[in-house]
Amino acid sequence: MKTYLSRRAFLAATASSLAVTSFAGLSFAQDRIVLRLSTPASEGDQRSVALAEVFGPDVAGFADYQPSYNATLFKQGTELEAISRGNLEMSITSAQELATIFPEFSIFTAGYLHRDAEHQKKVFAADFMQPLKQKVEDELGVKLLAVMYLGRRQLNLRTEGKVMTPADLAGIQLRMPGTDAWQFLGRALGADPVPMAFTEVYTALQTGAIDGQDNPLPTDKDAKFYEITKQIVLTSHLVDLNYIAFSKKVWDGLTPDQQATAQKAADAAAELGRQRQLKLEDELVQFFLDQGLQVYEPDLEAFRAHVQKAYLESEFAKDWPAGMLDLINAL
Ligand code: KDO
C-alpha cells in the first residue's frame, strides 16, 4: 500500500524541485515534445481508448503521445507526485488522489454527490472550481485539463447473500483503492474497507482475500471481474470521475496555439470517452446477467441516506470550501 507524504512535506519538497527545474529551464530544442501518460487503467478502458484515438492524433503536430497502461510506468496513486517532480507529463488522476494533498478535493469524493455525467461536467466548468484548479497548478505544478467520466460505481461481490441496505454489508471485506477518502466511502456504505491497488484486485477476488470491490460496469467487464464474482448490486454510490492531469512545466513550454490544440484535444477525448462509457453502462447489465451474475437494485434511499449522513458528520466535510456543497447541488 502506498504511503502518502504529508501535504506540507510533499509541497515543500515539490516547491524546491520546481524551483530547480524552472531555473534550469526545460529544453524544447528538439521540435517534438514527448507526452508520457501513466495510468492503472487498461488499454481497453474507454478513457484510454478515447485519449489514444483523439488526444494523441490531435496533438501529433507537435507532440508524441506515449501512454502506459496497467500501472506499468508508475504505481497507482504516485502519478501526481511524478508529474510534479518532472518525471512524468500526464496522468488520469482522481479527486481522491488530489484530496491526499489538497483536502478540499474530498468534496468530490463524497458518495451520492454528483448526480450524473452532465452534472460532473458542469461542476468541473463552474466558477467555484477555478480557485481549486489554480491551487493545484500553483502548488503542485499540475494542470487539470478536463474531467473524464469513469461511471457509476456499483458493488461487485463474490458472496451470495442479497444486499438491500447498508446493514447487509456488515462484515463484508470490500476492496477500495488506497487512500483515506476511498476507505471512508467503503465504511459509509456499511462495509469493512480493505485498501488495495487496482492491479491486485482480480487475484484477491479469485483467492477470496476480499469479498468484493466497487467499480463502474465497464471496468468490471474490462477487468473481467465477472469471472470470479457472483453479483452486482446497483448502488450507484459514486458517479466517479478522473481529471486529465498535465504537467504545468510542459504546458508553459507550449506555444499558445499548441496549448489551444492540447486543450481542445483533451476536451474532445473526454467527451468521446464520456459518451462511450454511458452507452456501455446502459448495455452491460444484460452482459453480466448472461454471465450468470445476479444484478439488482438495492434500497437506494437507504444507501443514500446512510452515506450522505456519514459524509456530513465526517472530518472531511470540515475541509470543504464554505457554501460549495450548496453550489454543487444547485447546478
Ligand atoms: C480503482 O482503483 O478502483 C479505480 O477505479 C479508481 C479510479 O480513480 C481510477 O484510478 C481507476 O481505478 C483506474 O484508472 C483503473 O481503471
Side-chain angles (χ1 to χ4, degrees):
M1 224 257 291
K2 180 176 156 38
T3 316
Y4 286 90
L5 290 171
S6 75
R7 175 172 185 241
R8 185 179 300 187
F10 177 66
L11 291 177
T14 305
S16 61
S17 86
L18 281 177
V20 172
T21 44
S22 60
F23 175 73
L26 263 185
S27 170
F28 287 106
Q30 75 277 33
D31 43 1
R32 294 197 63 72
I33 294 154
V34 173
L35 296 177
R36 291 165 308 147
L37 172 133
S38 181
T39 175
S42 73
E43 191 169 356
D45 180 293
Q46 288 313 311
R47 292 162 301 162
S48 309
V49 173
L51 284 163
E53 274 184 20
V54 174
F55 183 83
D58 285 3
V59 299
F62 57 92
D64 289 328
Y65 173 63
Q66 298 179 1
S68 289
Y69 306 110
N70 304 309
T72 44
L73 191 56
F74 286 94
K75 277 204 301 197
Q76 182 175 26
T78 63
E79 304 92 342
L80 282 175
E81 215 170 302
I83 297 177
S84 192
R85 294 184 194 280
N87 298 326
L88 180 70
E89 292 75 43
M90 290 180 71
S91 77
I92 324 175
T93 194
S94 63
Q96 290 81 359
E97 284 161 6
L98 283 159
T100 64
I101 306 166
F102 304 103
E104 51 272 51
F105 269 85
S106 70
I107 194 167
F108 308 116
T109 72
Y112 298 104
L113 174 88
H114 288 113
R115 291 188 299 273
D116 51 30
E118 274 308 303
H119 187 217
Q120 213 174 61
K121 239 170 87 173
K122 282 187 196 154
V123 170
F124 185 74
D127 288 347
F128 60 74
M129 193 69 202
Q130 195 46 42
L132 277 78
K133 292 179 190 166
Q134 196 61 51
K135 194 168 184 184
V136 178
E137 241 177 87
D138 296 345
E139 297 188 24
L140 197 61
V142 171
K143 221 177 145 55
L144 303 177
L145 291 186
V147 66
M148 294 200 110
Y149 176 69
L150 179 53
R152 282 162 288 157
R153 290 181 87 93
Q154 318 290 5
L155 297 174
N156 173 214
L157 308 175
R158 66 195 292 285
T159 52
E160 289 189 40
K162 211 149 185 179
V163 173
M164 294 307 289
T165 67
D168 297 329
L169 285 176
I172 293 283
Q173 302 278 301
L174 183 69
R175 174 272 170 180
M176 301 296 289
T179 73
D180 289 350
W182 282 116
Q183 300 305 297
F184 187 82
L185 178 58
R187 267 194 301 281
L189 286 164
D192 289 348
V194 179
M196 187 180 288
F198 181 74
T199 42
E200 291 165 21
V201 175
Y202 187 97
T203 310
L205 284 171
Q206 195 173 35
T207 58
I210 50 171
D211 297 321
Q213 62 92 30
D214 82 310
N215 255 297
L217 298 184
T219 307
D220 291 342
K221 173 158 190 273
D222 191 50
K224 297 192 169 31
F225 293 146
Y226 57 87
E227 292 178 347
I228 27 99
T229 54
K230 300 215 168 81
Q231 54 168 322
I232 294 179
V233 190
L234 299 170
T235 43
S236 296
H237 50 271
L238 184 72
V239 181
D240 203 6
L241 58 80
N242 286 119
Y243 305 111
I244 301 179
F246 197 97
S247 157
K248 170 88 165 67
K249 200 165 53 183
V250 174
W251 183 265
D252 289 345
L254 300 179
T255 66
D257 272 2
Q258 289 170 339
Q259 288 179 350
T261 302
Q263 181 62 63
K264 234 175 118 195
D267 290 339
E271 193 53 42
L272 180 68
R274 184 178 298 116
Q275 294 313 324
R276 289 204 178 140
Q277 201 77 337
L278 284 166
K279 186 161 177 291
L280 274 176
E281 282 186 297
D282 276 352
E283 296 165 358
L284 283 177
V285 168
Q286 191 54 49
F287 170 83
F288 293 115
L289 289 171
D290 293 345
Q291 300 298 315
L293 274 76
Q294 286 189 69
V295 184
Y296 58 92
E297 227 176 57
D299 180 344
L300 285 177
E301 271 322 303
F303 272 101
R304 184 174 289 115
H306 195 263
V307 168
Q308 288 183 337
K309 180 169 183 289
Y311 274 93
L312 289 176
E313 290 171 356
S314 73
E315 288 297 307
F316 291 110
K318 296 185 183 143
D319 291 316
W320 297 350
M324 194 182 274
L325 186 60
D326 291 338
L327 290 173
I328 292 174
N329 288 332
L331 275 180

